[in-house]
Amino acid sequence: MSSPAASVASSTSRKPGGFRSLDIGRYTLLIVLLLIVVVTAIGNPRFLSVNNLMNILFQVSALGIVASGQTILLIAGGLDLSVGAALSVAGLATALTIMSTGSVTLGILAGVAAGVVVGAINGMLVATNRATPFIITLGTMTFLQGVAILMSGGSPINGTGALFNVFGLGDFLGVPWPVYAMFASILAMFVILRFTTLGRYAFAIGGNEEAARLSGIPVRRIKIALYALSGLFVGVAGVILTGILDSGLPSMGTGYELRAIAAVVIGGTPLIGGRGTVLGTLGGVLLLGLVSNSMNLLGVGANFQSAVLGLIITAAVLLQKKA
């Protein structure tokens, strides 16, 4: 017969909020990144100024939108490496449509539609289960990079008119419109994950795809819907980034796939799926923005910043809880 002390210890270890259940690795990276922020703030007082913080939000706005869509894919056990190339295609579709028609509205619709179509195609390919999402979207990423070059002829498509006036220069109450768009995307994904059937199905598929299928969930259709939804977010980000840059570039989305995955994983969503929150993703996006900004203020070169990003992604994966 076990002693009362042993019983208490046993119950504590099983208790959801107990010390043993605390995923220390999940928070270690966040603590390290926050320490970097604190050190930079001490070294450069301008770091935590309102203008600089608003600038950080502005710079990560497109990334936050892309990462929002990537979140639901990772929760469902999926992945999309083509989001950066798809963002370029969406941005070019926006710029080319505005240039040829003079209509900003048609340009926005073209960019968003391009993102949705690319996402749906990725979803259909992934739903066949003939290869992993990593391999499939790696292939579509390469294909879309070529498409972006063909669309642009390898040159920028300049001049977006009112789109630049809104997203490049415009603000409301001192907050740039792209920042509002980012938080609107975060809120939309929060609602989808928390209150919709699609969100519940994403968690179920990520937790155990075979069990989800046996329980009657139309896994194939849900996967297509999830990738199309992610493509919608990518299309919106492409439109906004085109407005910010006042041009469409064939390489404008380069690196967004890795940074989006990094933000989601840093935010606590494991690559194996089954759990995660878009609010955590927002934290990951903000931390990446803070770290990048801090390195800029400290005079760190762009190449070294890429190396640091790679280390952050690797550490985030290694520190994820295995079960």
Side-chain angles (χ1 to χ4, degrees), residues 9 25 27 45 49-50 53 79 90-91 93 97 101 107 110 129 144 170 202 205 220 227 243 262 270 292 298 304 317:
Y27 301 103
S49 67
V50 174
L53 293 178
L79 182 72
T97 301
T101 67
N129 287 330
L144 291 172
I205 293 172
R220 178 183 171 83
Y227 276 86
S292 177
L298 294 175
F304 187 75
V317 173

Side-chain angles (χ1 to χ4, degrees), residues 38 67 71 80 95-96 119 126 130 132 153 159 169 210 213 231 253 257 265 272 274 286 295 298-300:
V38 171
T71 299
D80 190 350
L96 287 170
V126 169
R130 292 182 179 274
T132 64
L169 301 174
E210 186 59 28
R213 183 179 289 107
E257 59 283 330
V265 175
I272 59 175
L286 296 178
M295 287 191 290
L298 294 175
V300 178

Side-chain angles (χ1 to χ4, degrees), residues 161-180:
L163 195 67
F164 173 67
N165 293 333
V166 174
F167 294 119
L169 301 174
D171 65 75
F172 179 68
L173 299 177
V175 179
W177 284 110
V179 176
Y180 286 111

Side-chain angles (χ1 to χ4, degrees), residues 14-243:
R14 293 192 301 267
K15 186 179 178 180
F19 178 77
R20 289 191 177 184
S21 67
L22 181 61
D23 187 359
I24 299 298
R26 180 177 177 180
Y27 301 103
T28 300
L29 189 60
L30 293 176
I31 294 172
V32 172
L33 293 176
L34 286 173
L35 286 175
I36 294 175
V37 169
V38 171
V39 170
T40 307
I42 295 174
N44 193 324
R46 292 189 297 116
F47 180 64
L48 294 180
S49 67
V50 174
N51 287 339
N52 188 56
L53 293 178
M54 193 58 64
N55 181 53
I56 292 172
L57 289 174
F58 181 73
Q59 290 177 343
V60 301
S61 56
L63 174 61
I65 296 170
V66 174
S68 298
Q70 191 80 264
T71 299
I72 198 169
L73 293 184
L74 264 69
I75 287 174
L79 182 72
D80 190 350
L81 289 177
S82 71
V83 292
L87 187 151
S88 297
V89 170
L92 287 168
T94 300
L96 287 170
T97 301
I98 293 175
M99 185 179 69
S100 60
T101 67
S103 172
V104 173
T105 301
L106 289 177
I108 292 173
L109 291 176
V112 174
V116 172
V117 169
V118 169
I121 292 174
N122 276 332
M124 287 186 283
L125 294 174
V126 169
T128 63
N129 287 330
R130 292 182 179 274
T132 64
F134 179 92
I135 297 299
I136 290 173
T137 58
L138 179 63
T140 56
M141 177 186 74
T142 305
F143 172 75
L144 291 172
Q145 287 172 339
V147 169
I149 294 175
L150 291 174
M151 290 175 67
S152 64
S155 302
I157 308 299
N158 296 317
T160 60
L163 195 67
F164 173 67
N165 293 333
V166 174
F167 294 119
L169 301 174
D171 65 75
F172 179 68
L173 299 177
V175 179
W177 284 110
V179 176
Y180 286 111
M182 178 181 71
F183 283 108
S185 298
I186 295 292
L187 178 60
M189 185 55 68
F190 176 82
V191 171
I192 291 170
L193 289 172
R194 186 76 176 270
F195 300 108
T196 69
T197 301
L198 183 64
R200 291 192 292 272
Y201 283 173
F203 281 103
I205 293 172
N208 190 320
E209 182 175 333
E210 186 59 28
R213 183 179 289 107
L214 293 175
S215 67
I217 295 176
V219 174
R220 178 183 171 83
R221 282 186 293 167
I222 294 301
K223 283 186 177 181
I224 295 173
L226 292 175
Y227 276 86
L229 177 63
S230 175
L232 172 65
F233 281 79
V234 171
V236 171
V239 170
I240 290 174
L241 189 58
T242 300

